[in-house]
Amino acid sequence: MNEPELSDLGAFVAVTRARSFRGAAALRGVSPSSLSEAMRRLEAQLGVRLLNRTTRSVTPTEAGQRLLDRISPALDDIAGALDTLNSFRDSPTGTLRLNVPTIVAQRVLPPLASRFLRTHPGITLEITTNDTFIDVLAAGFDAGIRYDESIARDMIAVPLGPRTQRFVAAASPGYLAEHGVPRHPTDLLRHACIGHRFPSGVLAAWGFVRKGKTVKITPSGPLIASALDLELHAAESGLGVIYTFDEYLRPSIDRGTLAPVLEDWWQSFSGPFLYYPSRTHMPAPLRAFVDFLKAEGQSG
């Protein structure tokens, strides 16, 4: 039996971790067909099926899982050994793959990413947006960005961006003139509310806090969406009250296309964190980004 190519073994690990040929291909910058061919070649050489393939998912067989468990550490060690060469360069090179929430990608990360990439021209920053918590390492990412309540305790977390954020409520001046201004969160039960549904299918509840008292509202109204741009346009068009991140609504409030409501009840929360699993070797691009964030925090 011919020895399998190292590249085919790497393709197997990538597909198994991503649970998808398409997802693994996107992370590796190759075509799904090339990964599929690599898997056919590897399975033929080894004489065993390594993956169970369906139209919806790719999962390892028992043999595939055993192979994955044995070769993953070795391939990670090889990647780490090659990455140590970065220490001999003036600036690290390579790709840093991050999985981040939509709001962070749109309103928090852009200025940080620009400053980081100007400082490290040899690094490529690859951003994927996802509003659910995932196992970043298994999905092929170097790190993720999430809020504190969704970060597992065994992860290393580094502050990123504003340390305090808040949810705010607002509506167009025309809507408020026609329907009145809510004075208490329970008044929203009589108003048209623009709801947001998470990718998990859960409808986001609206939380308000004042003097230690918390009130939660389930929004009801003419629109429920999972796209903030659509929700914002609906609110500015006078369809109802919107509730989301301050950073997202602030430009509209400053322009006067939206007016804030229930300001005494706005809820504050901790800002986002970069998180990644603890491991002996940290890829040079990730180390550079962590050092950059820590320096930004000290200078801020």
Side-chain angles (χ1 to χ4, degrees), residues 198-258:
F198 294 114
S200 64
V202 175
L203 178 64
W206 294 9
F208 298 90
V209 178
R210 188 175 70 176
K211 297 179 180 178
K213 182 180 181 180
T214 300
V215 178
K216 287 194 174 183
I217 300 295
T218 299
S220 176
L223 177 67
I224 297 173
S226 57
L228 288 173
D229 286 348
L230 179 60
E231 296 161 32
L232 177 61
H233 186 272
E236 290 183 325
S237 299
L239 289 181
V241 181
I242 188 172
Y243 172 91
T244 188
F245 293 86
D246 190 356
E247 290 87 352
Y248 204 78
L249 296 187
R250 185 54 49 186
S252 299
I253 292 174
D254 290 343
R255 286 195 305 268
T257 54
L258 289 179

Side-chain angles (χ1 to χ4, degrees), residues 25-49:
L27 290 170
R28 291 172 69 88
V30 298
S31 67
S33 61
S34 68
L35 291 181
S36 182
E37 176 59 32
M39 288 308 308
R40 282 194 294 268
R41 187 167 54 243
L42 183 61
E43 288 179 327
Q45 287 178 320
L46 297 178
V48 296
R49 179 183 293 275

Side-chain angles (χ1 to χ4, degrees), residues 129-148:
T129 58
N130 188 314
D131 290 318
T132 58
F133 186 78
I134 66 169
D135 184 336
V136 289
L137 189 60
F141 296 96
D142 298 298
I145 297 174
R146 290 295 185 274
Y147 289 87
D148 185 55

Side-chain angles (χ1 to χ4, degrees), residues 151-158 273-279 282:
I151 298 176
R153 294 303 100 185
D154 59 348
M155 292 286 176
I156 297 174
V158 178
F273 292 81
L274 176 80
Y275 74 98
Y276 53 93
S278 175
R279 51 190 174 190
M282 184 188 300

Side-chain angles (χ1 to χ4, degrees), residues 81-94:
L82 294 174
D83 194 57
T84 58
L85 297 177
N86 266 319
S87 62
F88 293 93
R89 300 187 179 101
D90 292 334
S91 177
T93 63

Side-chain angles (χ1 to χ4, degrees), residues 92-125:
T93 63
T95 299
L96 174 59
R97 296 181 175 88
L98 300 179
N99 187 286
V100 310
T102 302
I103 185 65
V104 172
Q106 292 180 342
R107 293 294 185 266
V108 176
L109 198 54
L112 289 172
S114 296
R115 291 197 294 273
F116 173 69
L117 292 174
R118 281 196 296 267
T119 305
H120 298 286
I123 292 177
T124 298
L125 190 58

